[in-house]
Amino acid sequence: MIDLISEIGQTLANNKMRTFLTGIAVAWGIFMLIVLLGMSNGVVNAFRAEVFNQGTNQLKIWGGFTTQPWRGYKKGRYIELKEADMARLAADNPGQVAGVSSQIYSPSLTISTDHDYMTSSYSGVFPSEARSRALKMEQGRFINDLDMKEKRKVTVLSSQTAESLFADPKNVVGKTVKAGDVVFTVIGIYESKWDRGFYIPYSTARVLLGGGDVVYSIALELKNVASQADGTEAENRTRRTLAATHDFNPSDSGAVDFWNQFNQKMQMNDGMNILSAAVWVIGLFTLLSGIIGVSNIMFVSVRERTHEIGVRRAIGAKPRSILTQIICESIAITTLFGYIGIFLGSLVNELIARLTANMAGIASPRTDLGIALSVTLVLIVAGMAAGLFPALKSLKIKPVEALREE
């Protein structure tokens, strides 16, 4: 093994310029592959942060207009969702519904403190809203079941809203905010760069807005769903339950509107997989030009060493040892310059990550250990492929003819 490494090193040292120029193409191909994979990771990470962690198993429902006549009703009838529908949906679909919630939105009003004011509205929500939106609390807590039961006048604000309304946004829990004519106590601040939501308990919002049982939308938290077929079945079962309650045709797709976030996640995940595959294909084609260059240099190397190979064959060298040396030289070139490309590509990705730290649509465009191992495997396989044909050609050299070469 030591002799083999020494021979490879000597061969590369004797052809410095040729090896360097050929290796540059390999380094460039790997460099582009690493940068492309890093950017692809950045897009996928941003997608997962925005979609995968925010209510991805939710099925949201809105009332719609019927598009078919049914049992004496004309088409065009508006289906108005009620609070009773929430309990009915949970009871009829226990195997697929883990929780049911809704939201109530107030009209636009003035929200103020002694420090400042803003025009916005509040949203009455269930405690599950924190989980469905993957909210990260900076201070205090989110709305809980006791707040709902006692209809407390408490609120949870975003960090953006807290910065606007309070002189000291780092110490807000326990202070009060006035929304219209009602005073709320702040119980928590959640981390957010974009959301300016003003959340209060659903039960409190229902009382403040005059009671009633009509809901704007219903959100089902699905369970036991693993494929788009499962998500579609949950949607169909929900439509059948509402059709029985509100007396419309179960096949009427316009009677209620759905936003199936689970199915959307699965579809977008497929899209991300296609993106990753496309990046690998583009990167590998870029690398291919370098591999062809390595293969060419190995053909030239074999031709120049015809006499040497003939001597080695004449004194008893086995074909396997010559084959191994040629292939190992090819792997050495691709691996050496490939890791130069990995290093430079990783530096560029780190620079891009710093420059895009606060940008939407891309998050941490870096390559991880798994990608590094995959690229290493690609380098080894590429090196073997580049050296295989020159190595096989070297085995066809007849010792007698080779010894005549000068």
Side-chain angles (χ1 to χ4, degrees):
M1 177 60 69
I2 295 177
D3 291 339
L4 177 61
I5 295 174
S6 178
E7 289 178 7
I8 292 173
Q10 184 177 358
T11 302
L12 298 182
N14 291 337
N15 300 280
K16 295 184 182 68
M17 183 56 68
R18 186 170 64 191
T19 302
F20 175 75
L21 294 176
T22 303
I24 286 297
V26 175
W28 175 254
I30 290 294
F31 171 81
M32 290 301 299
L33 178 60
I34 290 295
V35 172
L36 288 172
L37 289 173
M39 294 300 294
S40 173
N41 274 353
V43 173
V44 171
N45 291 339
F47 163 74
R48 286 175 175 168
E50 293 297 325
V51 179
F52 274 38
N53 294 328
Q54 296 188 16
T56 53
N57 281 3
Q58 277 197 349
L59 178 64
K60 292 194 173 183
I61 313 158
W62 292 267
F65 292 89
T66 59
T67 60
Q68 303 172 18
W70 180 252
R71 294 179 179 174
Y73 292 105
K74 295 181 179 181
K75 67 178 182 179
R77 178 168 54 100
Y78 179 66
I79 303 301
E80 195 170 53
L81 300 179
K82 304 291 183 67
E83 282 192 347
D85 293 329
M86 298 167 64
R88 179 72 180 272
L89 288 168
D92 285 3
N93 304 281
Q96 288 188 307
V97 177
V100 186
S101 62
S102 183
Q103 286 193 26
I104 302 176
Y105 302 97
S106 74
S108 180
L109 43 75
T110 299
I111 299 173
S112 62
T113 64
D114 294 337
H115 176 69
D116 207 345
Y117 71 94
M118 60 188 297
T119 301
S120 184
S121 61
Y122 57 74
S123 301
V125 298
F126 282 70
S128 59
E129 189 71 13
R131 182 174 61 254
S132 68
R133 289 182 174 269
L135 298 180
K136 297 181 180 179
M137 302 302 296
E138 284 187 350
Q139 303 175 46
R141 61 174 178 82
F142 198 72
I143 294 163
N144 60 26
D145 292 332
L146 192 57
D147 297 327
M148 292 280 291
K149 181 179 179 180
E150 297 183 358
K151 302 180 178 61
R152 292 174 174 172
K153 294 178 183 178
V154 294
T155 182
V156 177
L157 308 177
S158 71
S159 56
Q160 290 282 328
T161 301
E163 289 176 3
S164 298
L165 294 179
F166 294 94
D168 181 13
K170 300 299 182 181
N171 186 24
V172 173
V173 174
K175 296 184 178 179
T176 59
V177 174
K178 188 175 183 181
D181 297 325
V182 182
V183 176
F184 293 90
T185 300
V186 179
I187 59 172
I189 302 294
Y190 63 90
E191 177 185 345
S192 176
K193 293 181 180 179
W194 319 110
D195 190 358
R196 301 179 71 90
F198 186 99
Y199 298 121
I200 69 172
Y202 176 89
S203 56
T204 305
R206 175 61 74 187
V207 172
L208 293 176
L209 295 174
D213 63 347
V214 176
V215 296
Y216 173 70
S217 66
I218 296 174
L220 305 182
E221 187 175 348
L222 302 180
K223 64 180 180 180
N224 300 326
V225 287
S227 64
Q228 290 191 49
D230 294 337
T232 301
E233 175 59 22
E235 186 176 317
N236 291 335
R237 289 174 65 91
T238 299
R239 182 182 284 107
R240 289 195 292 268
T241 295
L242 292 174
T245 303
H246 294 274
D247 205 14
F248 63 82
N249 192 333
S251 65
D252 189 344
S253 59
V256 286
D257 296 323
F258 291 97
W259 179 18
N260 196 326
Q261 290 180 282
F262 174 78
N263 276 5
Q264 182 187 55
K265 178 194 74 173
M266 299 298 291
Q267 293 166 1
M268 295 182 74
N269 190 44
D270 290 342
M272 292 298 102
N273 291 335
I274 293 172
L275 172 63
S276 297
V279 167
W280 270 101
V281 170
I282 294 171
L284 291 177
F285 271 108
T286 305
L287 179 61
L288 182 61
S289 61
I291 300 306
I292 293 173
V294 173
S295 185
N296 287 336
I297 194 176
M298 296 312 299
F299 271 116
V300 173
S301 177
V302 168
R303 183 178 180 82
E304 290 178 347
R305 295 157 63 189
T306 300
H307 186 75
E308 174 194 332
I309 294 172
V311 172
R312 293 181 61 185
R313 292 287 301 277
I315 62 176
K318 295 182 179 180
R320 185 177 63 182
S321 66
I322 296 173
L323 186 70
T324 300
Q325 181 179 350
I326 301 298
I327 291 178
C328 286
E329 286 180 15
S330 177
I331 292 175
I333 293 174
T334 54
T335 303
L336 173 62
F337 286 93
Y339 275 111
I340 293 174
I342 290 176
F343 175 72
L344 295 177
S346 299
L347 286 182
V348 170
N349 283 342
E350 184 63 32
L351 177 61
I352 294 173
R354 293 176 184 274
L355 293 176
T356 60
N358 296 317
M359 288 179 58
I362 185 167
S364 188
R366 300 180 176 91
T367 50
D368 54 24
L369 179 61
I371 290 178
L373 293 176
S374 299
V375 172
T376 299
L377 180 61
V378 167
L379 285 173
I380 295 173
V381 173
M384 293 178 63
L388 180 61
F389 293 106
L392 292 175
K393 182 180 179 180
S394 71
L395 296 183
K396 296 179 181 179
I397 298 174
K398 296 178 179 180
V400 175
E401 296 177 358
L403 290 173
R404 297 195 187 104
E405 293 285 338
E406 294 294 337

